[in-house]
Amino acid sequence: MRGCGITRPNSISPPKSPATSARGRASDLLETPPEVDPEAGGSAPLVLFDGVCGLCTRTVRFVIHRDPRRRFRFAALQSPLGRRVLERAGLPVEEFATFVLLDETGLHTRSTAALRVARRLSGPWRLLAVGLLIPKPIRDVVYDWVARRRYRLFGRLEACPIPPPEIRDRFVE
């Protein structure tokens, strides 16, 4: 998460063990895509998150711990890459604070992004993808309710955390 005004070291710990619809192809939204996932045969899914949101950084930690195949890459919305992706997708760059997934099918936001990430996690978490069967407007009402209260409930960081060396390669600039 370099390039995000980072001053808080090691806030995201390593794992203990080894716009909602697509808005264009992932390769069209990135100048240089994240590292290629050799097993998937394509670009690694990129998760953009609010780097100063306590809930968002905890969510990234949660995903890292449940992604033993190291499929996901991460970047803060406030980073140069995050801002570039948002800009190219036609989304607001300033004060855009939602969860974003950029994968092989395109760009996804809010509840769709979160549930599509859950679908790729290990263990029972992938069952959360059943939530994709719930109509998007209903899912996003719940998502937006939590999002409006996230700083109050989970705190706001002064700067984006620096990941420790053992997971730093999962974060792209």
Side-chain angles (χ1 to χ4, degrees):
M1 290 186 299
R2 289 158 257 165
C4 186
I6 306 165
T7 58
R8 296 185 48 152
N10 300 329
S11 295
I12 297 176
S13 60
K16 289 183 173 130
S17 60
T20 316
S21 63
R23 297 201 173 149
R25 293 184 20 219
S27 60
D28 296 337
L29 296 172
L30 292 173
E31 279 179 16
T32 46
E35 196 173 301
V36 172
D37 177 1
E39 290 188 24
S43 293
L46 176 66
V47 173
L48 299 177
F49 64 99
D50 182 354
V52 296
C53 166
L55 173 61
C56 303
T57 56
R58 288 180 187 138
T59 299
V60 168
R61 188 178 317 131
F62 179 88
V63 170
I64 287 171
H65 284 271
R66 286 150 188 87
D67 180 27
R69 293 175 63 192
R70 302 173 61 87
R71 294 181 201 179
F72 292 102
R73 300 293 178 257
F74 305 91
L77 289 164
Q78 298 87 347
S79 71
L81 174 64
R83 296 173 68 83
R84 190 168 60 245
V85 169
L86 293 176
E87 192 173 89
R88 288 185 179 184
L91 296 170
V93 175
E94 299 302 323
E95 299 303 315
F96 188 79
T98 190
F99 196 71
V100 176
L101 172 65
L102 182 61
D103 66 10
E104 65 282 352
T105 64
L107 184 113
H108 310 277
T109 61
R110 299 161 70 194
S111 65
T112 302
L115 293 170
R116 288 179 69 94
V117 167
R119 177 169 52 194
R120 295 181 186 201
L121 298 179
S122 65
W125 301 105
R126 64 179 40 151
L127 297 175
L128 291 173
V130 155
L132 288 166
L133 298 174
I134 298 169
K136 179 186 164 340
I138 295 170
R139 285 187 276 125
D140 282 347
V141 164
V142 174
Y143 181 94
D144 292 343
W145 185 87
V146 173
R148 280 191 304 275
R149 293 160 179 80
R150 71 186 189 281
Y151 292 139
R152 189 172 4 145
L153 297 172
F154 298 95
R156 183 180 178 112
L157 307 174
E158 291 184 31
C160 299
I162 297 174
E166 53 271 21
I167 61 170
R168 197 163 293 151
D169 65 326
R170 310 262 324 255
F171 293 83
V172 283
E173 288 188 42

